[in-house]
Amino acid sequence: MSEKEWITAHWSALLEDLVAFLKFPSVSAQSSYRQDLQAAADWLAEQLRGLGFSVEKVGEPPVLHGFYKGPASAPTVLFYGHYDVQPPEPLELWESPPFTPRIKDDKIYARGASDDKGQVFIHLAAWRYLLERYGELPVSIHAVIEGEEETGSQTLYGVLESHGAAWKSDVILVSDTAFFSADVPTLTVGLRGLIYSEIIVQGPQRDLHSGSFGGVAPNPALALAEILSQLKGSDGRVKVPGFYERVRPVRAEERGLWRQLPANEQHYLQLTGAPALAGEVGFAPIERIGIRPSLDVNGMVSGYIGEGAKTIIPAQALAKVSMRLVPEQDPAEVWQAFHDFVMQVAPPSVKVEVRLLHEPAPPFETPIDSRYYQAAEEAIAEVFGRRPIPVREGGSIPVLSALQKRLGNPPAILMGFGLPTDAVHSPNEHFHLEQLRKGIEASIRFYKKIGGRN
Ligand code: BES
Ligand code: ZN
């Protein structure tokens, strides 16, 4: 039976398993979902055991480590993925509930469908095929699947220290990224780093009547607006001193590669649905996403936002501000500069606190001259009918750099099968079933190639 025939023959059973995985509301950002993270981890552990992996669960929420011993001469793959998902809010914008998976128009809708449960599932399915076909996996595998990727991987950083030495591998494999589009396959060769912070502005010690105190009491919402407005110029450049100091200039050969992509302004206007694009002048959109750093406000709140009017001067204002980092920016250095700049531009009438919400993550890059990269390239070309183009994506997998370092710097293959239209982190997240089918097929081929089974 060919890979394709096997997938077709097992399709409904595969979908049933994926649906079961997607039903766990494994949201890592909110503490009320702790039990659900456990349950999702238990489900995964069972799946891995069923495939012949020896499994350990470490920490809370658990980092799952499964090990499969393949042929002695075959390489060892460290497969990394995450079973946690982003919060589903705003719930009212979902057409079907986020944790009741629904199939419509050859897509499966659920929080985590694309990021990252559907993509982790691709590998569970590929391993299952290989076991049935050959009676064993063609490679050794350390499967490391965590439940805190979306909140900064705190547990995994610790587990890397305590357990990482035993995870030595020849290559890291991740499916947690996206193609450029369904008909333009890509392999991700760079991700941006991330600093995520919270700015808390304290004005009066409680909400005040804005008539009795308007004109004397400082307004924290206005103070926050004043701070935020100084972070970026109208040319789209971040004004934190030294922010661009170490940023590596765009390489001519990279520019050349990206010209192969239909990545014009229209493409991003359509993807964003915004009236116009924003960002740093002098760079193409794909460069602004892949190789230039950025700064964004992820959320802000202050005062009364319920129905009708309420005349107050709020006590507090809060904003979540994040920065995406590129080679050779240093997360610690940028964080310090950002912190100091916010304190410096803050009006003296309010009390300002700037704090990190998780460990700053450095940018990530991987070489494309390894035999593993070549195998991924061939596997995708065979299944999707087109050679994948190496691209840098703007998102982050914060722990990846530390993981790679801990394993002695093996190459990493970021073979993701999402699409930019999957609505990850948004309402109505979905995964295209065609990407799922072909993703399983391409992954099977990848494992066969690097395990010498062709
Ligand atoms: N799967 C994404 C990473 C990603 C996004 C890669 C877009 C390529 C393109 C990952 O799960 C993610 O969203 N990471 C977070 C990390 C953060 C919350 C600590 C991110 O990038 O915002
Ligand atoms: Zn993800």
Side-chain angles (χ1 to χ4, degrees):
M1 214 192 288
S2 76
E3 291 104 11
K4 212 170 168 172
E5 285 162 354
W6 183 89
I7 294 167
T8 310
H10 293 76
W11 189 238
S12 53
L14 289 171
L15 278 185
E16 224 170 273
D17 287 346
L18 175 56
V19 164
F21 191 18
L22 291 172
K23 275 187 178 168
F24 298 104
S26 44
V27 177
S28 54
Q30 299 166 2
S31 50
S32 58
Y33 293 104
R34 290 286 120 170
Q35 296 283 340
D36 303 295
L37 283 158
Q38 281 287 352
D42 287 339
W43 183 90
L44 260 180
E46 253 343 281
Q47 298 290 313
L48 288 173
R49 285 195 192 101
L51 294 165
F53 285 68
S54 53
V55 182
E56 50 179 346
K57 271 172 52 182
V58 197
E60 156 72 47
V63 170
L64 274 190
H65 169 243
F67 181 66
Y68 182 96
K69 180 89 191 91
S73 59
T76 301
V77 177
L78 188 137
F79 172 78
Y80 166 84
H82 62 97
Y83 64 82
D84 67 318
V85 300
Q86 286 273 323
E89 288 83 6
L91 290 173
E92 66 280 8
L93 294 185
W94 285 79
E95 276 171 32
S96 50
F99 299 108
T100 308
R102 186 165 80 124
I103 293 173
K104 199 186 145 195
D105 302 332
D106 209 36
K107 302 174 193 105
I108 186 161
Y109 286 81
R111 170 59 85 231
S114 172
D115 183 9
D116 180 32
K117 287 173 172 172
Q119 302 213 53
V120 167
F121 187 76
I122 282 177
H123 294 268
L124 296 178
W127 298 335
R128 194 165 140 194
Y129 167 86
L130 291 164
L131 283 167
E132 283 185 22
R133 171 74 177 72
Y134 299 102
E136 64 171 354
L137 296 181
V139 293
S140 290
I141 299 178
H142 286 288
V144 175
I145 309 176
E146 66 152 321
E148 267 175 328
E149 192 275 346
E150 301 288 7
T151 50
S153 305
Q154 198 187 329
T155 306
L156 180 50
Y157 279 111
V159 176
L160 268 184
E161 287 296 312
S162 54
H163 293 61
W167 298 352
K168 285 280 174 284
S169 296
D170 301 292
V171 59
I172 296 172
L173 178 62
V174 185
S175 290
D176 192 20
T177 49
F179 276 8
F180 180 81
S181 66
D183 45 6
V184 184
T186 43
L187 271 164
T188 302
V189 296
L191 290 169
R192 290 194 286 189
L194 182 66
I195 294 175
Y196 201 112
S197 79
E198 198 164 66
I199 303 177
I200 303 159
V201 181
Q202 182 72 44
Q205 62 167 331
R206 59 188 162 80
D207 290 356
L208 299 174
H209 191 292
S210 66
S212 308
F213 298 98
V216 294
N219 187 309
L222 281 169
L224 178 61
E226 206 175 312
I227 295 169
L228 296 178
S229 71
Q230 308 207 45
L231 297 179
K232 264 174 128 171
S234 54
D235 56 0
R237 280 179 66 90
V238 176
K239 295 205 290 194
V240 174
F243 188 73
Y244 294 96
E245 205 167 288
R246 295 184 195 276
V247 172
R248 183 205 296 159
V250 183
R251 291 176 174 152
E253 70 264 24
E254 287 195 311
R255 277 219 158 113
L257 263 178
W258 295 333
R259 284 210 190 92
Q260 296 178 40
L261 295 165
N264 51 22
E265 297 233 346
Q266 202 49 43
H267 173 78
Y268 292 98
L269 278 173
Q270 200 164 15
L271 281 178
T272 58
L277 297 182
E280 204 183 351
V281 293
F283 294 92
I286 197 166
E287 296 171 345
R288 287 185 241 154
I289 291 171
I291 195 68
R292 300 296 297 173
S294 64
L295 180 149
D296 274 290
V297 176
N298 304 100
M300 54 200 285
V301 58
S302 182
Y304 180 69
I305 50 156
E307 196 180 349
K310 185 184 184 199
T311 46
I312 55 160
I313 295 171
Q316 255 199 4
L318 187 149
K320 297 185 189 266
V321 179
S322 66
M323 286 161 275
R324 300 281 172 173
L325 309 180
V326 298
E328 316 286 336
Q329 280 180 302
D330 174 50
E333 212 174 274
V334 175
W335 161 243
Q336 191 64 51
F338 173 77
H339 175 272
D340 295 352
F341 185 62
V342 170
M343 296 313 271
Q344 182 202 319
V345 299
S349 55
V350 292
K351 199 174 130 250
V352 176
E353 190 193 337
V354 196
R355 58 188 193 102
L356 277 175
L357 287 192
H358 43 72
E359 189 74 19
F364 177 80
E365 296 184 283
T366 187
I368 62 170
D369 55 6
S370 70
R371 71 184 191 94
Y372 301 103
Y373 186 86
Q374 204 177 348
E377 212 173 29
E378 285 169 10
I380 290 176
E382 285 166 16
V383 175
F384 290 87
R386 204 167 155 173
R387 247 188 138 57
I389 296 166
V391 292
R392 290 173 178 277
E393 282 202 87
S396 314
I397 302 177
V399 79
L400 214 47
S401 290
L403 178 65
Q404 192 178 37
K405 205 176 276 170
R406 186 73 169 108
L407 300 178
N409 286 317
I413 304 304
L414 273 53
M415 189 168 65
F417 299 99
L419 293 178
T421 48
D422 285 350
V424 296
H425 297 202
S426 282
N428 304 308
E429 175 176 354
H430 56 272
F431 194 38
H432 286 251
L433 294 179
E434 185 68 0
Q435 291 295 107
L436 175 65
R437 282 188 284 269
K438 288 182 169 169
I440 297 171
E441 209 185 327
S443 301
I444 292 171
R445 285 170 188 250
F446 174 77
Y447 289 112
K448 280 169 63 176
K449 283 176 198 295
I450 66 171
R453 293 277 168 164
N454 254 358

